[in-house]
């Protein structure tokens, strides 16, 4: 995406890339792979996240909702894990 090739330039013209590096840094400090400071598995918080217990998921879903409400189409969402 950051190269000067025509393909990279085309991707930048056609897509908006949103990269979220880590959603549970508070949990990682405690040595947890998938849980936050409240010991909630953030992968299980997507249905009904709250600001108090799972703020990263709450705000990421808000960002995604705002994009859709602005008429932008989310082409791909990828959740990567580095602990396995």
């Amino acid at each position: 995406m950051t190269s000067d090739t025509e393909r990279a330039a085309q991707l930048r013209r056609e897509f908006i890339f949103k990269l979220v590096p880590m959603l549970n840094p508070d949990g990682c400090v405690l040595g947890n792979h998938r849980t936050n400071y409240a010991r909630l598995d953030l992968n299980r918080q997507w249905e009904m996240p709250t600001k108090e217990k799972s703020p990263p998921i709450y705000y990421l879903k808000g960002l995604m909702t705002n994009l859709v409400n602005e008429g932008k189409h989310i082409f791909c969402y990828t959740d990567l894990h580095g602990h396995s």
Side-chain angles (χ1 to χ4, degrees):
M1 290 186 315
T2 60
S3 75
D4 59 358
T5 66
E6 179 52 36
R7 179 67 176 143
Q10 178 185 9
L11 287 170
R12 289 190 296 270
R13 283 191 301 272
E14 294 181 18
F15 295 96
I16 298 170
F17 293 87
K18 302 281 187 188
L19 304 176
V20 181
M22 181 184 284
L23 291 175
N24 69 327
D26 55 339
C28 287
V29 166
L30 300 174
N32 303 330
H33 296 299
R34 293 170 55 142
T35 59
N36 63 2
Y37 186 75
R39 303 225 186 265
L40 293 172
D41 184 339
L42 295 180
N43 283 341
R44 304 296 177 256
Q45 298 300 305
W46 279 94
E47 193 169 330
M48 295 191 63
T50 66
K51 280 195 256 185
E52 297 75 29
K53 292 187 177 181
S54 50
I57 303 300
Y58 178 86
Y59 287 107
L60 181 57
K61 279 189 76 172
L63 170 67
M64 295 166 82
T65 299
N66 288 341
L67 290 171
V68 170
N69 289 341
E70 292 171 5
K72 298 187 169 105
H73 174 72
I74 296 176
F75 175 74
C76 177
Y77 171 82
T78 304
D79 181 12
L80 303 173
H81 295 261
H83 58 78
S84 297

